[in-house]
Amino acid sequence: MSDAAVTRPTPSQSLLLRNLAVFAENRLAAGSAILVLIFVALALFAPLIAPQDPNATDLFRRLQPPAWQAGGDWAHVLGCDALGRDILSRIIYGSRVSMLVGATVVFIATSIGILAGLAAGYLGGWVDTIISRTVDILLGFPYLIFAIGLMAMMGAGLGNIILALVYKEWVIPCRVVRAETLATREQEYVEAARALGASNRHIMLREILPNILSPVIVVSTIRMANVIILEASLSFLGLGVQPPTASWGAMVADGRAFIMQAWWVSTFPGLAILLLVLALNVASQGLRDAFDPRFHE
Amino acid sequence: MRKLTSAGLAALIAFGATSQTVAAKDLVIGFSADAATLDPANHRDTNTETIIREMYDGILTRDPAMHVVPQLAESYKQISPTVYEFKIRKGVKFHDGSTMTAEDVKFTLDRIWEKGGLGDGQTSPRQSLLGPIKSVDVVNGDTLRVTLSAPWSLLPAMLPFQEVVSKAFVGKVGTAGMATQEDGTGPFQLVQWNKGDSVVMKRFDDYWGGKACVDRVIFKTIPESSSRVAALLAGDAQIIDHLPPYAVSQVNASGNAKAVFVNGTRSYFIAMNLTEKPFTDIRVREAIAHAIDKPLVINKILGGHAVAINGILSPDAFGKNKALKGLAYDPALSRKLLKEAGYPNGIKVTMDVTGPDKDTAEAVASLMAKGGITTKVQVGESAMLGSKWRTMGKPKTGDMYFTSWGNGSLDPQGIFMPTHHTDGRGNSSGYSNPKVDKLLDGAAVEVDRAKRAAMYEQAEAIAAKDVAYIYLWVPQDIYGVSKRLSGWQPSPDGRLNLVKACLK
Amino acid sequence: MSLTKLVERLVQLVPVLLGVSVIVFLMMAMTPGDPVQIMIGDQNVSAAQEAQLRHDLGLDRPAYERLALFIGHAATGNFGESFYYKRPVAQVIAERLPATIELSVVALLIALMTAIPLGVLAAVKKNSVLDKLATVGSLLGVSLPGFWFGILLLMLFAVQLHILPVSGRMGFATSIKPITGFLLIDTLLRGDPAAFLDALKHILLPAITLGLPMTAVLMRVTRTSMLEVLRQDYITFAEAKGLSRTRILIRHALKNALIPTVSVAAIETGSLLGGNMIVETVFGWPGLGRLVVDSIFVRDYPLVQAAVLLYAVTYVLLNFVADILYTFLNPRVKL
């Protein structure tokens, strides 16, 4: 394989550094990226950070208010839920579910989406027809209803949430990849590789993929925020992880009944969702601005 | 833009100022569910029945003490073990002005018990509530005779579940029309049904039992409990159902409303898979019972508004064994029993539960852990858990099931038979004891009340000794009522009976 | 777009809808849990009576037969009878649909009415404090979980301040005989301004919650396309001619800048439908979203199948409309 024959636009080292520099200059985006990393650290080191066992119930601390309110104490800074469990610790452990679901779903969906999109865009013909029709059909379902139906079918649990979301999520990167592939496939270097007798597989994975990867990654980071909200929504509707595992959406739902008696139970986990999703959105916007000049205003 | 925002704010404030004037004689019920249909014969839903019952009457009903008493029948008597006679009240008017006759009552029952009786080839989903009816006949004008194909002592207790419809009206609107229209004999008649939102009724002035006090009754659907409480406190609703225990003190402190309680009819218990290890060993079952501090859970989670039970029956039920002693809270004894049973390190089990009972189940599970029973709570939909546990004798998968069984009739047969008889529909434990079966079968056809009660007492003692289930408690039903309301009390069967309710 | 193209696009919708029908049917068929068990509840019912109930619901037929029946009937507009409501599914859906449409339309209006002015202002005053605030606001808008934001709004406006109602679609004493089913219209047609205000108070919080993410997205789109338009030659030319700034903005820039906003709005309306069930659950709104979720839990197969199919039709049509709008408003695009 002589790459030297055609000049293929590889993302150069210096360009990557320059883009990263642009990203770092955007203080808001960089700050958000740090916040996301803090959440990742929380998730990874939850057992070291959390002040209490997140699942230890104590009925005598039922609905204990946060530390600064009358009846609260500093051992349970953000108060306790209906079973007397420490809310702060549950939020810290809850970040695991959000992060894990967000990252896994996006990773699997993007991988599937890339393969399907490449195949549809490059091979065309009946492969394209089948993939595109499947995409159209899946797009016809409202996202949440589709996920609710799947969860009812498969039952609650972490693995099932991931599956339920992946089933529809892959469609989004798939469409992006297909469109990008269609635009790329008539490019000179692809033609050249084909003329040199490269296999379809080689062309798709080695020639086209590296050049369309950056918009796909940008889309994926944006989707991660959405996936986290979707997981929280499913948990909120009672179709999430199994108890006693803490999940932010389920915590908001649990606290909703007590909202007039104990505002803290659902307020803090909701705030955690907002912070993480906001940080992800700001950071991914920064990434997009830095890496994909087409989005520059 | 700035102008626009301030205009928006002004409008917002103006909204607040124009408060809706609620007519003084409108009784609003903040109700957790809407009716599924208005056809008394075509549903299986308690909430629907509660709403319908304000517009329809039954042949029989229950008094506040839950005794079965005549309603549209003037009187009734049992002629033989299989024949009952009802004397139908005269001069009762349907809402359309026509007079109710024994023919209407016969039609009502035929519509339910006969195969295809509903019309359009359909059979009433309430058929099974009526037992083994052979025929319903009108004898000499106002007397109705119900003949059973086998003795069934439950008939009077089950008749309050059915409402009398007008034969002519059903003929006119058909089964399809019955779903959204009504022509009952009840104290209120339908004005409008805003599906999913509210059922509006007005007083029926020709009500045979004396006309109601309020002008209108509005069942407002408010599924969210915190929203129901807010509606009560704001004075928008005068009665709300399912007041959560933790909101009781807030409602009582509000000054304009209070919480009222009535013993419920739903027994909570934990089923264990009796066909599988380790639950085949009675010492393990006893260990579980000893590990649960029922008073603690009742006080902390249920706000003290529940009665602990040591057998399946509610303390108010007929035939309750009052002498029954429970297995007291003693986690040390639990561990000892487990050790004796060959589990020195305790056991690890999973407990299924539906979403609404999740909190309580988790509290129970954390107590069980201290007794050496490490319990993982697993939440499932009721649709799924029903199929998983209510297998009617077929093998089960799963360890334990935190569940409940409602018994609106308060007759033991409605709860004892399904949960404890071999292969019963609600026998989630898979319990089977020939002695209990014999007692239950006998009591079902026993006519002598004292003998029947004794049979149930004996059965309850045997089942408790076998630890067929871990019996937990019967929660009280809690309602929030406005202080403007008078003449109203909650009823254990969940009926609202609003005819005598008045508003200041 | 030529007529043949239009027809061709419409014909392409058929396999999509067929696919949706099959998937939703299979999903319900494969879901464990038994509608008959749910109907029976806590009652001692004999096996024969249970079989009778199953037969009456048509559940004793094999799955492939039920699928064929469902698709055959659906094609003729017959969706069968709801297991739970015991009425024709079409009727039950039709009763709930106006509430959902009304909520979505008001949310859409709120979104358009806030997003367009804000987006334009942010573009015109690029990098000003207002622009930055709008950017932060739009980021917040897409990041707020609807179920949580709705609860916060309820707490503030209904529970603390008592200026807006807690739940439902109309006041406790309000009852309006339906004409169109849209309360905001019916109350006016019936000449009842108090009831209109009541309905408006009820719809405000759910509509804001539902419309917020859309507002955020539309604002970004408007701002971006406005910036693009403002850079165009003809704007510079108009400025050179000495036309007033406002006149240029409204007469020339806005008209062109709104093209992407409108078509994105059409597509986003589809996701508005998907967000309905959360908002309807939080605010006790008697709409289709809540109905579908409840029906999934009680395994009301006919109702779920029909409602999902309706969602799909709407969604697909909205996308179709978005395409047409885009072509229609922007003659440069040829489909």
Side-chain angles (χ1 to χ4, degrees), chain A residues 57 59-60 62-63 82-83 85 152 155-156 239 242-244 254 256-261, chain B residues 224-226 229-230 246-247 250 296-297 300-301 358-359 362-363 366 377-379 381 384:
Chain A
T57 63
L59 294 185
F60 291 96
R62 179 174 162 86
L63 302 179
L83 292 174
R85 297 176 296 201
L239 295 165
Q242 282 293 357
D254 288 348
R256 185 161 65 126
F258 310 101
I259 194 80
M260 291 203 288
Q261 292 81 22
Chain B
E224 220 28 68
S225 60
S226 50
V229 174
Y246 50 81
Q250 185 189 16
L296 179 75
V297 179
K300 291 295 169 187
I301 302 278
K358 185 185 70 167
D359 265 13
E362 280 191 83
S366 66
V377 174
Q378 192 169 294
V379 178
E381 285 177 73
M384 244 145 108

Coordinates of all heavy atoms in Angstrom, one line a residue, chain A residues 57 59-60 62-63 82-83 85 152 155-156 239 242-244 254 256-261, chain B residues 224-226 229-230 246-247 250 296-297 300-301 358-359 362-363 366 377-379 381 384:
Chain A
T57 N -29.1 2.2 55.7 CA -30.4 2.8 56.1 C -30.4 3.0 57.6 O -29.8 2.3 58.3 CB -31.6 2.0 55.7 OG1 -31.6 0.8 56.4 CG2 -31.6 1.7 54.2
L59 N -33.6 4.3 59.9 CA -34.9 4.8 60.0 C -35.1 6.0 60.9 O -36.0 6.8 60.8 CB -35.9 3.7 60.3 CG -36.1 2.6 59.2 CD1 -37.2 1.7 59.5 CD2 -36.3 3.3 57.8
F60 N -34.1 6.1 61.9 CA -34.2 7.2 62.8 C -33.8 8.5 62.2 O -34.0 9.5 62.8 CB -33.5 6.9 64.1 CG -34.1 5.8 64.9 CD1 -33.7 4.4 64.8 CD2 -35.2 6.1 65.7 CE1 -34.4 3.4 65.5 CE2 -35.9 5.1 66.4 CZ -35.5 3.8 66.3
R62 N -34.7 9.3 59.1 CA -35.6 9.5 58.0 C -35.8 11.0 57.7 O -36.2 11.7 58.6 CB -36.9 8.8 58.3 CG -38.0 8.9 57.3 CD -39.2 8.1 57.7 NE -40.4 8.4 57.0 CZ -40.8 7.9 55.9 NH1 -40.0 7.1 55.3 NH2 -42.0 8.2 55.3
L63 N -35.6 11.4 56.5 CA -35.8 12.8 56.0 C -35.1 13.8 56.9 O -35.6 14.9 57.2 CB -37.3 13.1 55.9 CG -38.1 12.2 55.0 CD1 -39.6 12.6 55.0 CD2 -37.6 12.2 53.6
A82 N -35.7 9.2 52.5 CA -36.8 8.6 53.3 C -36.4 7.3 54.1 O -37.0 6.9 55.0 CB -37.9 8.2 52.4
L83 N -35.3 6.7 53.7 CA -34.8 5.6 54.5 C -33.6 5.9 55.4 O -32.9 5.1 55.9 CB -34.4 4.4 53.5 CG -35.6 3.8 52.8 CD1 -35.1 2.8 51.7 CD2 -36.5 3.1 53.7
R85 N -30.8 7.4 54.4 CA -29.5 7.2 53.8 C -28.9 8.6 53.5 O -29.7 9.5 53.2 CB -29.7 6.4 52.5 CG -30.1 5.0 52.8 CD -30.4 4.2 51.5 NE -31.5 4.8 50.7 CZ -32.1 4.1 49.8 NH1 -31.9 2.8 49.6 NH2 -33.1 4.7 49.1
A152 N -39.6 -2.1 29.8 CA -40.7 -3.0 30.2 C -40.5 -4.4 29.8 O -40.8 -5.4 30.5 CB -42.1 -2.4 29.7
G155 N -37.0 -5.6 31.6 CA -36.9 -5.4 33.1 C -35.8 -4.4 33.5 O -35.0 -4.1 32.7
A156 N -35.9 -4.0 34.7 CA -35.0 -2.9 35.2 C -33.6 -3.5 35.3 O -33.4 -4.7 35.3 CB -35.4 -2.4 36.5
L239 N -37.9 3.0 35.9 CA -37.4 2.0 35.0 C -35.9 2.0 34.9 O -35.3 1.8 33.8 CB -38.0 2.2 33.6 CG -39.5 2.0 33.5 CD1 -40.1 2.5 32.2 CD2 -39.9 0.5 33.7
Q242 N -31.5 -1.2 39.6 CA -32.2 -1.8 40.8 C -31.8 -1.2 42.1 O -30.6 -0.8 42.2 CB -31.9 -3.3 40.8 CG -32.7 -4.1 39.8 CD -34.2 -4.2 40.1 OE1 -34.6 -3.7 41.1 NE2 -34.9 -4.8 39.2
P243 N -32.7 -1.0 43.0 CA -32.3 -0.5 44.4 C -31.4 -1.6 45.0 O -31.4 -2.8 44.6 CB -33.6 -0.4 45.1 CG -34.5 -1.4 44.4 CD -34.1 -1.4 43.0
P244 N -30.5 -1.2 45.9 CA -30.4 0.1 46.5 C -29.5 1.0 45.7 O -29.2 2.1 46.1 CB -29.9 -0.1 47.9 CG -29.1 -1.3 47.8 CD -29.7 -2.2 46.7
D254 N -37.8 9.6 43.9 CA -38.1 9.3 45.3 C -38.5 10.5 46.1 O -39.4 10.5 46.9 CB -36.9 8.6 46.0 CG -36.7 7.2 45.4 OD1 -37.6 6.7 44.7 OD2 -35.6 6.6 45.6
R256 N -39.7 13.3 45.1 CA -40.8 14.1 44.6 C -42.0 14.0 45.6 O -42.7 15.0 45.8 CB -41.2 13.6 43.2 CG -42.3 14.4 42.6 CD -42.3 14.2 41.1 NE -42.6 12.8 40.8 CZ -43.6 12.5 40.0 NH1 -44.3 13.5 39.4 NH2 -43.9 11.3 39.7
A257 N -42.2 12.8 46.1 CA -43.4 12.6 47.0 C -43.2 13.5 48.2 O -44.2 13.9 48.8 CB -43.5 11.1 47.4
F258 N -42.0 13.7 48.7 CA -41.8 14.4 49.9 C -41.4 15.9 49.6 O -40.9 16.6 50.5 CB -40.6 13.8 50.7 CG -40.7 12.3 50.8 CD1 -40.0 11.5 50.0 CD2 -41.5 11.8 51.8 CE1 -40.1 10.1 50.2 CE2 -41.6 10.4 51.9 CZ -40.9 9.6 51.1
I259 N -41.7 16.4 48.4 CA -41.2 17.7 48.1 C -41.7 18.8 49.0 O -41.0 19.7 49.3 CB -41.6 18.0 46.6 CG1 -40.7 19.2 46.0 CG2 -43.0 18.2 46.4 CD1 -39.4 18.8 45.6
M260 N -42.9 18.6 49.6 CA -43.4 19.7 50.4 C -42.8 19.5 51.9 O -42.8 20.5 52.6 CB -44.9 19.7 50.4 CG -45.4 20.1 49.1 SD -47.1 20.8 49.3 CE -48.0 19.3 49.5
Q261 N -42.4 18.3 52.2 CA -41.9 18.1 53.6 C -40.4 18.1 53.6 O -39.8 18.5 54.6 CB -42.4 16.7 54.1 CG -43.9 16.6 54.3 CD -44.7 16.3 53.0 OE1 -44.1 15.8 52.1 NE2 -45.9 16.7 53.0
Chain B
E224 N -50.6 12.6 41.5 CA -49.4 12.8 42.3 C -49.9 13.2 43.7 O -50.6 14.1 43.9 CB -48.8 14.1 41.6 CG -47.3 14.1 41.6 CD -46.7 12.7 41.5 OE1 -46.9 12.0 40.5 OE2 -46.1 12.3 42.5
S225 N -49.3 12.4 44.7 CA -49.8 12.6 46.0 C -49.5 14.0 46.6 O -50.3 14.6 47.3 CB -49.2 11.5 47.0 OG -47.8 11.6 47.0
S226 N -48.3 14.5 46.2 CA -48.0 15.9 46.7 C -48.9 16.9 46.1 O -49.2 17.9 46.8 CB -46.5 16.2 46.4 OG -46.2 16.0 45.1
V229 N -52.2 16.8 48.1 CA -52.0 17.5 49.4 C -52.1 19.0 49.2 O -52.8 19.7 49.9 CB -50.7 17.1 50.1 CG1 -50.5 17.9 51.4 CG2 -50.8 15.6 50.4
A230 N -51.4 19.5 48.1 CA -51.4 20.9 47.9 C -52.8 21.4 47.6 O -53.2 22.5 48.0 CB -50.4 21.2 46.7
Y246 N -46.5 10.6 55.7 CA -45.6 11.6 56.1 C -46.2 13.0 56.0 O -45.6 14.0 56.4 CB -44.3 11.5 55.3 CG -44.5 11.4 53.8 CD1 -44.8 12.5 53.1 CD2 -44.5 10.2 53.2 CE1 -45.0 12.4 51.7 CE2 -44.7 10.0 51.9 CZ -45.0 11.2 51.1 OH -45.3 11.0 49.8
A247 N -47.4 13.1 55.3 CA -48.0 14.4 55.1 C -49.0 14.7 56.2 O -49.6 15.8 56.3 CB -48.6 14.6 53.7
Q250 N -48.4 17.7 58.5 CA -48.5 19.0 57.8 C -50.0 19.4 57.6 O -50.3 20.5 57.8 CB -47.8 18.8 56.5 CG -47.7 20.1 55.7 CD -47.2 19.8 54.3 OE1 -47.2 18.7 53.8 NE2 -46.8 20.9 53.6
L296 N -41.3 -0.9 64.4 CA -40.3 0.1 63.9 C -40.7 0.6 62.5 O -40.8 1.8 62.3 CB -38.9 -0.4 63.9 CG -37.9 0.6 63.4 CD1 -37.6 1.7 64.5 CD2 -36.5 0.0 63.0
V297 N -40.9 -0.4 61.6 CA -41.3 0.0 60.3 C -42.6 0.7 60.2 O -42.8 1.8 59.6 CB -41.3 -1.2 59.3 CG1 -41.7 -0.8 57.9 CG2 -40.0 -1.9 59.3
K300 N -42.0 4.3 61.7 CA -41.1 5.2 60.9 C -41.6 5.4 59.5 O -41.5 6.5 59.0 CB -39.7 4.7 60.9 CG -39.0 4.7 62.3 CD -38.9 6.2 62.7 CE -38.5 6.2 64.2 NZ -38.5 7.6 64.7
I301 N -41.9 4.3 58.8 CA -42.2 4.5 57.4 C -43.7 4.7 57.2 O -44.1 5.5 56.4 CB -41.9 3.2 56.6 CG1 -40.4 2.9 56.8 CG2 -42.2 3.3 55.1 CD1 -39.4 3.7 55.9
K358 N -41.5 0.0 47.3 CA -40.1 -0.1 47.3 C -39.4 0.3 48.6 O -38.6 -0.4 49.2 CB -39.5 0.7 46.2 CG -38.0 0.5 46.0 CD -37.5 1.4 44.9 CE -37.5 2.9 45.4 NZ -36.8 3.8 44.6
D359 N -39.8 1.5 49.1 CA -39.3 2.0 50.3 C -39.4 1.1 51.5 O -38.5 0.8 52.2 CB -39.9 3.4 50.7 CG -39.1 4.6 50.1 OD1 -38.2 4.3 49.3 OD2 -39.4 5.7 50.5
E362 N -37.4 -2.0 51.2 CA -36.0 -1.8 51.5 C -35.7 -1.6 53.0 O -34.7 -2.1 53.5 CB -35.5 -0.5 50.8 CG -35.2 -0.8 49.3 CD -34.5 0.4 48.7 OE1 -33.2 0.5 48.8 OE2 -35.1 1.2 48.0
A363 N -36.7 -1.0 53.7 CA -36.5 -0.9 55.1 C -36.6 -2.3 55.8 O -35.7 -2.6 56.6 CB -37.6 0.0 55.7
S366 N -33.3 -4.1 55.1 CA -32.2 -3.7 55.9 C -32.3 -4.3 57.4 O -31.3 -4.6 58.0 CB -32.0 -2.2 56.0 OG -33.1 -1.6 56.6
V377 N -33.2 -6.2 47.4 CA -34.6 -5.9 46.9 C -34.5 -5.7 45.4 O -33.6 -5.0 44.8 CB -35.0 -4.6 47.6 CG1 -36.3 -4.1 47.0 CG2 -35.2 -4.8 49.1
Q378 N -35.5 -6.2 44.7 CA -35.5 -6.2 43.3 C -36.9 -5.6 42.8 O -37.9 -6.3 43.1 CB -35.3 -7.6 42.7 CG -35.1 -7.6 41.3 CD -34.6 -9.0 40.9 OE1 -33.5 -9.5 41.3 NE2 -35.4 -9.7 40.1
V379 N -36.9 -4.4 42.3 CA -38.2 -3.8 41.9 C -38.6 -4.3 40.5 O -37.8 -4.4 39.6 CB -38.0 -2.3 41.9 CG1 -39.3 -1.6 41.4 CG2 -37.6 -1.8 43.2
E381 N -42.3 -4.5 37.7 CA -43.7 -4.1 37.5 C -44.6 -5.1 38.1 O -44.4 -6.3 38.0 CB -43.9 -3.9 36.0 CG -43.3 -2.8 35.3 CD -43.6 -2.9 33.9 OE1 -44.7 -2.6 33.5 OE2 -42.7 -3.3 33.1
M384 N -45.4 -7.9 35.7 CA -44.4 -9.0 35.6 C -44.4 -9.8 36.8 O -44.4 -11.1 36.8 CB -43.0 -8.3 35.5 CG -42.4 -8.6 34.2 SD -41.5 -7.2 33.7 CE -39.8 -7.8 34.0

